[in-house]
């Protein structure tokens, strides 16, 4: 029996980074996919603490909120830095990733047809910040010498952007190398190439 259970909609969405992290850490999980219509009319929503998915289960422990889940997995599997200082810097980097993800989600769900050109024009300004972090760290990771949950989150977001704009990392060699190296890690590669992962759209509205 898989140690973890994920309940989420039939898209990668907020679980993309989570799955990449669990795969990278050699973990297995079962997955309950929820139909949007069933979510609207069924009882599941009322059982969720904040009325949102994903839902994560580890035995008797039930968690909601994607970043709380990511941090739990990071602490449990040694992906939260070597000490408190690194952990705090990892939190900071993850917050930076989330800032860009929120901009991306606003485009996808609110402005895709009217704001895509402006978004892509501004995107290099955001990617340059992460490129500078990678260059300064010079370890292949955002913080320290070991992969953290912020790295998994960044990888997921960059993969999404490479679908949106395949050339978006052309001017950012450190980020491009980061994506190449992380995606080639055997356990992550197996997930990314798996039929179950590939069949899911990135976002719930089908836009990507």
């Amino acid at each position: 029996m898989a140690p973890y259970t994920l309940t989420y909609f039939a898209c990668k969405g907020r679980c993309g980074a989570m799955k990449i992290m669990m795969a990278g850490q050699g973990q297995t999980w079962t997955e309950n996919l929820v139909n949007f219509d069933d979510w609207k009319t069924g009882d599941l929503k009322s059982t969720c603490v904040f009325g949102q998915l994903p839902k994560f289960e580890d035995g008797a422990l039930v968690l909601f909120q994607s970043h709380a889940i990511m941090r739990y997995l990071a602490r449990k599997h040694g992906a939260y830095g070597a000490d408190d200082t690194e952990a705090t810097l990892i939190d900071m980097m993850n917050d930076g990733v989330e800032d860009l993800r929120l901009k991306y989600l606003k485009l996808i769900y609110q402005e895709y047809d009217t704001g895509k050109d402006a978004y892509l024009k501004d995107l290099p300004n955001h990617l340059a910040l992460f490129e500078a972090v990678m260059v300064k760290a010079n370890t292949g990771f955002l913080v320290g010498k070991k992969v953290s949950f912020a790295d998994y989150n960044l990888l997921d977001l960059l993969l999404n952007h490479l679908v949106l704009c395949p050339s978006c990392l052309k001017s950012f060699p450190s980020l491009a190398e980061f994506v190449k190296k992380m995606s080639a890690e055997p356990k992550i590669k197996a997930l990314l190439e798996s039929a179950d992962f590939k069949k899911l759209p990135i976002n719930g509205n089908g836009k990507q």
Side-chain angles (χ1 to χ4, degrees):
M1 181 178 178
Y4 303 131
T5 301
L6 277 179
T7 301
Y8 195 58
F9 306 110
C11 64
K12 295 182 179 73
R14 285 288 187 174
C15 281
M18 212 176 295
K19 291 177 182 177
I20 290 172
M21 180 176 180
M22 288 191 292
Q25 294 296 322
Q27 301 303 302
T28 57
W29 62 94
T30 58
E31 189 168 7
N32 299 321
L33 296 180
V34 179
N35 180 280
F36 283 107
D37 290 334
D38 292 340
W39 171 252
K40 292 177 182 178
T41 60
D43 297 328
L44 176 60
K45 187 172 184 177
S46 65
T47 69
C48 299
V49 174
F50 299 104
Q52 298 174 325
L53 295 176
K55 176 182 179 181
F56 172 90
E57 298 171 79
D58 181 8
L61 176 66
V62 180
L63 294 176
F64 299 92
Q65 297 295 324
S66 57
H67 291 294
I69 297 166
M70 291 285 285
R71 289 184 171 93
Y72 171 74
L73 289 167
R75 285 190 290 268
K76 190 169 182 179
H77 297 291
Y80 216 145
D83 52 34
D84 288 347
T85 296
E86 283 196 2
T88 302
L89 292 172
I90 289 166
D91 282 336
M92 180 182 75
M93 292 300 167
N94 193 68
D95 287 353
V97 176
E98 176 67 4
D99 285 346
L100 180 54
R101 187 181 293 276
L102 290 176
K103 295 178 187 298
Y104 168 78
L105 291 175
K106 182 179 180 181
L107 168 71
I108 293 296
Y109 287 101
Q110 299 178 29
E111 300 176 349
Y112 193 85
D113 296 326
T114 59
K116 186 176 179 180
D117 289 344
Y119 181 88
L120 292 178
K121 183 177 180 180
D122 189 46
L123 181 60
N125 295 323
H126 301 287
L127 295 178
L129 303 176
F130 292 103
E131 176 77 7
V133 170
M134 286 290 185
V135 170
K136 184 177 180 179
N138 196 32
T139 61
F141 304 114
L142 289 168
V143 177
K145 299 179 180 180
K146 186 179 178 182
V147 66
S148 74
F149 79 94
D151 293 304
Y152 292 119
N153 201 13
L154 178 61
L155 174 62
D156 174 63
L157 187 58
L158 291 178
L159 289 174
N160 292 352
H161 277 86
L162 285 168
V163 174
L164 179 69
C165 178
S167 63
C168 68
L169 298 184
K170 186 176 181 180
S171 299
F172 305 104
S174 293
L175 290 180
E177 180 62 25
F178 168 79
V179 170
K180 180 180 177 181
K181 179 180 177 180
M182 290 281 287
S183 299
E185 196 281 325
K187 294 172 185 176
I188 294 177
K189 182 179 180 181
L191 171 72
L192 297 178
E193 295 181 353
S194 68
D196 285 344
F197 191 80
K198 290 171 68 175
K199 74 181 181 182
L200 295 174
I202 294 175
N203 302 298
N205 64 356
K207 295 180 180 180
Q208 51 188 37

